[in-house]
DNA sequence: CCTAATATCTACAGTAACTGTAGGTTCAAG
DNA sequence: CTTGAACCTACAGTTACTGTAGATATTAGG
């Protein structure tokens, strides 16, 4: 087995993940601690690149780190049933769909507010007025947006 | 002027904002420091309720605290032009729309991944495979989701 | 061999917008 | 006068990183 070793900078480029994030993942146990050189620098091989790409890709798809952890555990045991993977991914999809719904409600309300604005001064601004009085909103159109969708 | 005073619990109920959040808003200067009772408890009147409701409503619409601050400043000066309000709200709308687009790309990709899964073991799981290899994704369908949309 | 630039190391602080906790007052009711 | 709810301050914790400071390692050029 030809195990070429490289330092963190190259791993960073190859997995498109910045250096401190790699160290952070190691710290929280998402990446195992790698070998160290005589000068104490981390030494990685191909297998780290693969694992880190997996993590980044999952993150890009919106999976939380806890779910990434679950997915990694599953990926590490190929004999396991695929069902659990399906469940995590399905849950993620459901969350994404919910966030989209929430944001669409916000969009509608913001659009409506903006349309009401006729220029002039703040005194007659319907946007400010609407913000000050939720009753002026389309009923319950954005009653409860969960915090994670808000940002 | 009949200024009825009440403590933080009632303000909390009337503006649907929890108590520590109120104290937090005061700390960061979003709410002015109110009167105190002889026993050092915060005393509010109607005007605080209105201001806090305004804040909560804006937050519910996805405005960041910094933008809420801007909106509050504008609301406090009714003689100002409405344009600035429009701009903040318009920016917010644009952000929401971008987030929706990002999330829809994620949704498509997650759906596709889930459809590929045929059951069986992790060894042949296409979800795990796809996560491990971004090239298996629809090209650039979710290349760069900005961090704030990710969660 | 020496030096300068670049890369890496650890440890810790900061981000957004809160939420939770500990340990101590104050207040209203019975 | 006691009990329990509401309130007080101060600080730690949340998520997933990013940024900083100050020290050490490595590499390229002269």
């Amino acid at each position: 087995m030809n195990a070429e070793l490289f330092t963190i900078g190259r791993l960073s480029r190859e997995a498109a993940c910045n250096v401190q994030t790699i160290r952070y993942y190691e710290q929280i146990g998402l990446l195992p601690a790698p070998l160290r050189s005589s000068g104490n620098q981390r030494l990685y091989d191909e297998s780290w690149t693969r694992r880190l790409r997996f993590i980044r890709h999952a993150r890009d798809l919106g999976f939380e780190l806890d779910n990434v952890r679950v997915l990694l555990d599953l990926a590490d045991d190929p004999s396991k049933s695929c069902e659990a993977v399906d469940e995590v991914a399905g849950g993620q999809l459901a969350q994404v769909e919910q966030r989209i719904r929430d944001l669409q409600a916000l969009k509608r309300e913001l659009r409506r507010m903006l349309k009401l604005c006729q220029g002039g001064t703040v005194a007659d601004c319907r946007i400010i007025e609407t913000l000050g009085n939720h009753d002026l909103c389309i009923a319950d159109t954005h009653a409860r947006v969960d915090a994670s969708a808000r940002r």
Side-chain angles (χ1 to χ4, degrees), chain A:
Chain A
M1 220 195 277
N2 176 16
E4 199 198 349
L5 297 176
F6 42 89
T7 58
I8 202 167
R10 185 166 145 198
L11 178 61
S12 166
R13 285 188 300 277
E14 294 194 353
C17 177
N18 89 32
V19 169
Q20 18 254 73
T21 304
I22 297 172
R23 292 196 276 246
Y24 169 72
Y25 286 163
E26 179 183 329
Q27 191 189 309
I28 63 169
L30 214 56
L31 287 172
L35 290 173
R36 294 287 184 130
S37 73
S38 57
N40 199 34
Q41 302 197 344
R42 291 169 176 83
L43 293 176
Y44 300 97
D45 66 20
E46 240 326 276
S47 69
W48 263 271
T49 313
R50 264 180 279 123
R51 193 175 182 87
L52 183 51
R53 279 194 182 141
F54 183 101
I55 295 170
R56 290 311 312 168
H57 193 185
R59 291 290 299 126
D60 284 344
L61 285 165
F63 289 93
E64 291 174 9
L65 282 183
D66 274 355
N67 284 332
V68 175
R69 227 181 270 270
V70 173
L71 290 171
L72 279 170
D73 282 351
L74 292 165
D76 284 344
D77 184 353
S79 70
K80 270 192 189 143
S81 156
C82 188
E83 251 175 74
V85 178
D86 231 62
E87 205 178 299
V88 176
Q92 180 57 27
L93 177 59
Q95 263 186 46
V96 167
E97 286 172 336
Q98 183 58 53
R99 273 181 225 152
I100 290 175
R101 278 192 296 277
D102 291 344
L103 286 170
Q104 272 164 348
L106 295 192
K107 186 174 92 174
R108 276 194 298 278
E109 195 53 40
L110 285 165
R111 279 238 171 101
R112 207 178 62 95
M113 270 176 36
L114 278 160
K115 223 180 287 172
L116 289 178
C117 181
Q118 305 292 327
T121 66
V122 167
D124 355 87
C125 180
R126 305 297 303 273
I127 297 178
I128 293 290
E129 194 188 341
T130 305
L131 282 172
N133 187 352
H134 196 152
D135 297 343
L136 297 178
C137 272
I138 300 161
D140 279 347
T141 200
H142 66 103
R144 284 242 153 270
V145 175
D146 125 342
S148 67
R150 194 180 281 151
R151 323 202 193 162

